[in-house]
Structure formats: structure tokens, C-alpha cells
Amino acid sequence: MSGELPLNINIKEPRWDQGTFMGRAQHFFMVTDPRNVLLSSETLEDARVTVENYRAGIVKPGLTEDSLWKAKYVYDSAFHPDTGEKMVVIGRMSAQVPMNMSITGSMLTFYRTTPAVVFWQWVNQSFNAVVNYTNRSGDAPLTVNQLGTAYVCATTGAVVTALGFKSLAARLPPIMSRFVPFVAVAAANCINIPFMRQRELKYGIPVTDENDNRLGESPRAAKQAILQVIVSRIGMAVPAMAIPPVIMNALEKKAFLRRYPLLNAPIQVGLVGFCLVFATPLCCALFPQKSSMSVSSLEPELQERIREISPQTTTVYFNKGL
């Protein structure tokens, strides 16, 4: 059964060319749109039904191409691309800007005392743990022990780094203390993401040919995927955690903020939010979501298997996660 809309629109792939940075940026501006967080369960379910029905060759009456693409991006914003599970709200990429602006703004505001540093690093790593688990690549489950280990290691690493750099910054110009949160966040990303996705590093992530036929699992593909995600996450943090401290350092010398110190936190959160609205999609777009690597770079046993079942395949593809 089909409607007026043709069935040859490839909604398995993004609407824009993912071979270019601008195409990927347009895609992620849609995926990370904070307004998607406010969508009701009914709207999400309607988008899921629309997308899954279209893939099955069923087009509801009156469906237009623009409506189909809108449903696809609503679907992508809430459901995991590999498992199809509905993701928890704060773990979705559409929640990145509102959640990160609140947490990052607070980290940048309350950086002077040790209890505040410890508390906000803990909050940030708790949030990161949810995001990393929710946006993991592949469909491999994580055990409670693995989740706990990743969470404890990342939180400990962030707190130790933050306190260590805070101690060092005390002997440097005052503005350097404002960059304690960024250094801690960068270090924690290097710990949290690999630990949270340790099963992928051990057992691999699914790799496919260009037609999405699954060829096996590759730990080497997982390493490449995780490295790309770490670079993207640190890149997201740079504008939000580097630009506002410089601006706030200048503003706090002005009479206005001295007169109204309670405005410090809202202004800082607003600056962080403005930076994240652009930094989040642009840094997600640094690498293609459907990443690739040559067959010759895979594990020898997987290379052999691919040569047997798909000898014409020279490049494999995989979801790098977010």
C-alpha cells in the first residue's frame, strides 16, 4: 500500500550530504535542536510510526516529503539508531545544550572553593555517564559493574584533575583559575568515554558494507569511533568553557556586576548556552556519523571473513556514536 509520496526517499541516511562538513552541520543542527526535548510522548510515537511505516512501504495519506523528513529527525532525536530504544530525555543530543549550559555555567561560576569544584564535577560526570551510555555505538549491553567502574573512574579523574589544576592556578594570574573546569572536563572525557564504552573496545562494534549488510564486529573500529567522539566532546567544551571566562573576567571589573553580583551566574549560563548552541552541532559534525575504515585496517581474522563473504568490499562502515 502506498500513498502519493514516492517510496524511494532514503530516510536511512541524513537529508544532507554527509560527505561535507556543511552537510553534517545542517544535520546536527536538526539533531541537537533543544526544542525536541519538549516534544510529547505522543509526538515521538507518531514520528516513530511514520518513519517505520515508510520504511515498510506504507505511506499515510497526506504525508509530504518535508513532513517525512521532520518525522525522521524527531525520531532520530529520541530513539537510538542501532537498538531503536527510546533514549532517556537527559541523554538525548537535543538535551545537550540546556543541560550543559546549566552545568557548565555553574562550574564556571562556582570554581573558587574546593567543595563547589568537587560538587559540580560530580554533577557533570553523572550527566556525562548518562549521555555516554545513551549514545553508545552498537547494541551491546553494559553490565552494572562496567557502568559503575566508568562512572567512578571518570568522576575521580575529573575531581583530581580539577583540584590539582586549581592548586597550580593559585600561583598563576587570577584568570587561570577560571579554566580549571575546562581542564578537568577534557581529562574526564578521555577517561569517561573509553570506560563507558569498554565493551566495544573488547568485543568490537558492528561494521557493515555500503549496503548496510553486517559483516562482523571490530574493536579497531571501536577505537577509531571512540577517539573521534573524544575529540568532538573536547571541541564542544572549548568555546563554552574558554570564551565566557574571558568575558566574565572583564565584566566583573565593571561597576555593574559589582553592584549586582547575583547576575553573575545567569549571565555566565547565558554566555555558555549561546556558545553551545553553535559548538554542539558544529563539533558533532567534525567526523561523519557513519564513519568508515579500510578492510585492510581491521583485525586479521575479520579481514579474512570479509574476503570470504564479501570479496568486493574494500571499505567498511560503522556508527561512531555520539
Side-chain angles (χ1 to χ4, degrees):
M1 171 178 149
S2 63
E4 299 177 356
L5 193 68
L7 293 171
N8 60 353
I9 301 173
N10 185 12
I11 59 170
K12 289 184 178 180
E13 301 295 332
R15 188 172 193 175
W16 296 277
D17 180 11
Q18 298 300 284
T20 67
F21 175 76
M22 287 306 299
R24 295 195 296 272
Q26 286 177 291
H27 167 69
F28 279 110
F29 269 108
M30 293 290 291
V31 171
T32 62
D33 187 341
R35 292 174 296 180
N36 287 343
V37 174
L38 304 176
L39 296 176
S40 66
S41 296
E42 291 76 14
T43 300
L44 297 178
E45 181 62 18
D46 183 64
R48 184 189 68 79
V49 170
T50 299
V51 169
E52 292 182 354
N53 281 351
Y54 184 84
R55 288 173 177 170
I58 303 171
V59 182
K60 67 179 181 181
L63 184 67
T64 65
E65 183 172 353
D66 283 342
S67 298
L68 175 64
W69 280 113
K70 182 178 180 181
K72 180 250 191 318
Y73 276 102
V74 168
Y75 174 83
D76 286 352
S77 75
F79 296 88
H80 192 279
D82 292 327
T83 66
E85 298 175 350
K86 183 186 286 187
M87 298 180 285
V88 295
V89 174
I90 65 171
R92 300 172 191 170
M93 291 309 293
S94 53
Q96 284 287 291
V97 172
M99 290 298 297
N100 270 325
M101 69 183 285
S102 302
I103 296 172
T104 302
S106 297
M107 284 196 294
L108 293 176
T109 301
F110 308 109
Y111 66 92
R112 291 184 172 88
T113 67
T114 297
V117 170
V118 172
F119 175 75
W120 285 109
Q121 288 299 330
W122 168 72
V123 170
N124 189 50
Q125 291 315 310
S126 297
F127 171 63
N128 283 342
V130 174
V131 172
N132 292 336
Y133 174 75
T134 304
N135 293 282
R136 68 199 184 281
S137 175
D139 48 17
L142 284 172
T143 66
V144 174
N145 286 339
Q146 290 170 331
L147 285 170
T149 300
Y151 174 67
V152 171
C153 289
T155 303
T156 302
V159 170
V160 169
T161 302
L163 295 180
F165 189 68
K166 183 175 184 295
S167 177
L168 174 64
R171 298 188 290 272
L172 299 172
I175 192 174
M176 295 305 296
S177 296
R178 292 181 176 273
F179 291 96
V180 168
F182 170 69
V183 176
V185 166
N189 274 324
C190 295
I191 300 170
N192 194 328
I193 297 171
F195 265 101
M196 191 60 66
R197 297 173 61 174
Q198 59 186 288
R199 184 179 176 86
E200 297 173 32
L201 291 171
K202 184 176 182 180
Y203 298 107
I205 57 176
V207 295
T208 67
D209 62 17
E210 60 182 4
N211 297 316
D212 289 329
N213 297 309
R214 190 162 175 165
L215 302 173
E217 291 75 37
S218 170
R220 292 185 182 178
K223 290 178 183 177
Q224 178 174 308
I226 290 169
L227 178 61
Q228 291 176 346
V229 171
I230 290 172
V231 171
S232 294
R233 291 285 187 86
I234 294 176
M236 285 180 207
V238 171
M241 303 190 82
I243 297 174
V246 174
I247 296 175
M248 292 305 298
N249 193 62
L251 289 178
E252 286 181 1
K253 296 176 182 178
K254 305 296 183 181
F256 179 76
L257 272 187
R258 289 179 180 175
R259 186 175 179 182
Y260 302 103
L262 292 179
L263 292 178
N264 188 308
I267 292 174
Q268 191 130 240
V269 169
L271 288 171
V272 170
F274 178 79
C275 292
L276 286 172
V277 164
F278 298 97
T280 300
L282 292 178
C283 287
C284 282
L286 290 176
F287 306 99
Q289 186 63 33
K290 187 177 181 180
S291 198
S292 64
M293 65 190 306
S294 65
V295 171
S296 60
S297 298
L298 299 172
E299 294 76 11
E301 60 274 16
L302 184 54
Q303 292 184 40
E304 188 64 29
R305 179 183 174 186
I306 292 174
R307 291 191 187 101
E308 291 177 0
I309 64 176
S310 184
Q312 75 281 3
T313 299
T314 58
T315 303
V316 294
Y317 302 88
F318 50 91
N319 171 29
K320 70 176 177 63
L322 289 170

